[in-house]
Amino acid sequence: MDQPRRSKRKDHILLSPTFNEKRKIEYSVHRVLPRMVPDLQPVFPGTDISDVLIIPTFQECKCDLVAFGPEPDAEKDRLLENFVDWAKSVCKALHELGHWADLTDPCSGCPVFGERGSGVYPDVIGGQMLLAYDMVDTGCCKLLSHPKWQTKVYPATIFTKAPLEVVAPLLFA
């Protein structure tokens, strides 16, 4: 009897979307897609990106990220601080275990710990490529449409060369 064929589209997903209740962050873990390597390599110069794990994260927002004004700005700041605090703690724990890890600043797309390269990482396009989420072009920017939160979502990303069994418990803490 023939074995069922696995969809190549999902072979890169190592950990399906999981919700960290304490941090209110949804994350998943993926092998880098080969077609992403040429664009991702310039973001992290000096690091071989071909075997990196990508950890896209999402937080539910009270408003669409395209909104402007004091309330949307305060919401974006709150979500940025929550992500950066959590992601830095994950990366620092991985560094202490001897693994390369970094996060990109969601505002600039540049690495936080490593050398700044000639490229930037677009969290929206990353989420679309890795999870097949829809993108909405607003004219001034692209928004990700999350299955639960639609465009009221704040995407951000962690990268590591640590194995899944090392990284997964740190993401849930």
Side-chain angles (χ1 to χ4, degrees):
M1 179 151 77
D2 290 337
Q3 292 290 331
R5 296 182 79 185
R6 290 180 61 198
S7 166
K8 288 185 179 185
R9 178 85 173 146
K10 304 217 181 218
D11 284 350
H12 67 282
I13 301 174
L14 300 177
L15 181 66
S16 294
T18 303
F19 194 72
N20 180 320
E21 189 65 44
K22 177 181 169 188
R23 294 294 188 150
K24 304 292 186 214
I25 293 176
E26 182 185 88
Y27 60 87
S28 54
V29 181
H30 307 258
R31 286 185 194 96
V32 65
L33 296 170
R35 70 179 185 264
M36 294 176 81
V37 172
D39 292 326
L40 192 56
Q41 190 62 65
V43 178
F44 301 103
T47 301
D48 177 13
I49 294 303
S50 64
D51 60 348
V52 77
L53 298 183
I54 303 175
I55 306 161
T57 71
F58 304 96
Q59 297 177 78
E60 184 178 14
C61 299
K62 296 175 184 171
C63 60
D64 280 325
L65 288 183
V66 74
F68 292 101
E71 285 184 43
D73 290 347
E75 175 72 351
K76 292 172 198 173
D77 289 345
R78 180 185 70 79
L79 297 170
L80 175 64
E81 287 176 25
N82 186 51
F83 168 73
V84 170
D85 179 58
W86 174 70
K88 280 185 172 181
S89 69
V90 169
C91 288
K92 287 178 182 177
L94 290 167
H95 295 161
E96 289 171 7
L97 294 169
H99 299 287
W100 177 86
D102 209 334
L103 61 136
T104 48
D105 177 338
C107 299
S108 69
C110 296
V112 169
F113 291 110
E115 174 189 350
R116 186 176 185 162
S118 61
V120 295
Y121 183 75
D123 295 298
V124 169
I125 293 170
Q128 193 275 329
M129 290 178 77
L130 295 167
L131 290 156
Y133 291 172
D134 291 333
M135 277 193 307
V136 178
D137 191 343
T138 65
C140 65
C141 66
K142 289 182 171 56
L143 298 178
L144 202 63
S145 183
H146 187 276
K148 286 186 266 183
W149 306 318
Q150 287 72 48
T151 56
K152 293 182 178 180
V153 64
Y154 189 89
T157 311
I158 301 172
F159 303 84
T160 187
K161 294 184 112 194
L164 178 63
E165 57 272 10
V166 172
V167 106
L170 297 172
L171 296 170
F172 199 72

